[in-house]
Amino acid sequence: MLDVATIRKDFPILSRKVNGKPLVYLDNAATSQTPQQVIDVIVDYYSIYNANIHRGVHTLSQEATDKYEEARHKIQAHFNAEKAHEIIFTSGTTHSINLVANGFASLIQKGDEVIVSALEHHSNIVPWQMLCEKTGATLKVIPMNEEGELVMSDYDNLLSNKTKLVFVNHISNALGTINPIEEIIKKAHHVGAAVLVDGAQACPHIKPDVQKLDVDFYVVSAHKMCGPTGVGMLYGKETWLNKLPPYQGGGEMIAEVTFEETTYADLPHKFEAGTPNICGGIAFGAAIDYMNSIGFDNIATYENELLDYATKKLLEIDGLRIYGNTKNKTSVISFNVGNIHPYDIGSIVDKLGIAVRTGHHCAQPIMDYYKIPGTVRASFAFYNTFKEVDTFVDAVKRAVQMLS
Ligand SMILES: *Cc1c(COP(=O)(O)O)cnc(C)c1O
């Protein structure tokens, strides 16, 4: 069992007030909060050993390089990548997906097909549309059902020897659905297609094993798992990363440069042009350490209880509808009450100190499916409490009274 009261003391922001009320932070699917253990690492970096990496012979540069590469190894161990150079530091999920989509422009052509799911975040849709525009490849969509699940029999029909790539999220940020990525990967490989899994929403809740999944690319953002913004990773199988051309040109990613010809550096540096977010990368490693010290099994058990409790309490409100009712979901609740606009509920509960997200959650195709402009989304983390759920449900009741 988690000692949530003690855990909450690690997060300075959780003791602040918003609009005169104690903050109830239920927007974890947008970004997670940062524990003191990670804040300390950021302060230490800038206070003690701020320097550029991989270049300097001086002591500070060595220290910074060692810490940065140590973080890469932590990330490798956490996601169980076979090799450290299969972990590419990026600025986050969006950057990682664009890197892969851009690289595939030289590997696919007109007549090829790529498959996306109906449950994607815009950042796992738009880069692929741009790829299709550039290459003439065709984008196919795995449809969803009322429960917010992918229709897997339709996926079977979309796959063929024309399929070159499948990209799907591990967990939907808008509905919380956990997608059957093992099955999706296996079937894609059967027709020779590669698979990219967007793990941005999965990484705060579960610990994926990229080798066991046999996934070709797995991408995350540190800020969804207690790390800072502006840093994330691309995991790619070595064979794929060798096939992809570099994304950006610049310093750090080259072996040799003349005006006649440039040769590229080995992995991972081939994809890491320019000075990276050094402090962010090191803090990402610290965030992984922190989350593992809490334990992903403990996190899952606790968050499931919180999700069940919040679902039950919210459904007591007349006219409240939850979108995404699959059994396989994590701690996200997307809902509307009657015809009340989600923004109005969001604004009123904010006055009561509660942070939730309202709108389309960067997943407009899902909102279109349900024919709604958006939802109110409450998303929970291991540091949220049952009492906070009560406060939230009371606030929604109050908002509904005021608005109807
Ligand atoms: C947050 C999120 C993204 C985008 O992550 P960035 O950090 O903004 O790049 C993509 N996909 C999913 C499922 C997300 O939850």
Side-chain angles (χ1 to χ4, degrees), residues 198-310:
D198 169 356
Q201 207 54 239
C203 62
H205 306 294
I206 53 185
K207 186 172 172 167
D209 180 330
V210 294
Q211 287 189 75
K212 197 157 151 234
L213 289 169
D214 196 24
V215 67
D216 302 290
F217 302 99
Y218 197 95
V219 300
V220 307
S221 297
H223 72 92
K224 300 260 169 110
M225 54 186 304
C226 296
T229 54
V231 66
M233 71 131 201
L234 159 65
Y235 159 78
K237 280 184 188 163
E238 185 181 30
T239 46
W240 275 115
L241 293 178
N242 281 331
K243 270 186 233 173
L244 293 185
Y247 179 44
Q248 294 179 317
E252 199 69 41
M253 54 75 76
I254 47 88
E256 215 165 338
V257 177
T258 67
F259 282 109
E260 287 71 42
E261 192 187 27
T262 290
T263 49
Y264 303 126
D266 291 335
L267 294 173
H269 307 295
K270 173 178 142 187
F271 293 111
E272 296 182 348
T275 300
N277 183 349
I278 303 164
C279 176
I282 296 167
F284 186 6
I288 282 179
D289 284 345
Y290 179 78
M291 295 212 57
N292 281 312
S293 77
I294 309 279
F296 278 84
D297 288 342
N298 296 331
I299 289 171
T301 307
Y302 179 73
E303 287 181 347
N304 279 333
E305 287 169 10
L306 213 52
L307 175 67
D308 288 347
Y309 180 71

Side-chain angles (χ1 to χ4, degrees), residues 114-132:
V114 297
I115 298 179
V116 67
S117 101
L119 292 174
E120 297 310 304
H121 188 285
H122 295 164
S123 71
N124 203 23
I125 302 174
V126 183
W128 305 109
Q129 287 174 323
M130 291 161 72
L131 171 68
C132 288

Side-chain angles (χ1 to χ4, degrees), residues 152-153 155-156 159 182-193 195:
M152 291 301 284
S153 54
Y155 175 56
D156 292 342
L159 285 167
E182 294 84 354
E183 186 185 344
I184 289 172
I185 293 164
K186 214 169 268 161
K187 287 179 167 166
H189 285 169
H190 201 69
V191 299
V195 181

Side-chain angles (χ1 to χ4, degrees), residues 303-317 320 322 324-325 329-334 380 389 392-393:
E303 287 181 347
N304 279 333
E305 287 169 10
L306 213 52
L307 175 67
D308 288 347
Y309 180 71
T311 304
K312 195 173 117 261
K313 293 282 282 189
L314 278 171
L315 285 173
E316 288 168 6
I317 298 174
L320 186 141
I322 293 176
N325 293 299
K329 69 181 276 191
T330 45
S331 40
V332 169
I333 304 181
S334 244
F380 307 95
V389 171
F392 171 57
V393 174

Side-chain angles (χ1 to χ4, degrees), residues 89-100 234 247-248 271:
F89 278 114
T90 65
S91 70
T93 302
T94 303
H95 176 194
S96 301
I97 295 172
N98 277 283
L99 190 161
V100 176
L234 159 65
Y247 179 44
Q248 294 179 317
F271 293 111

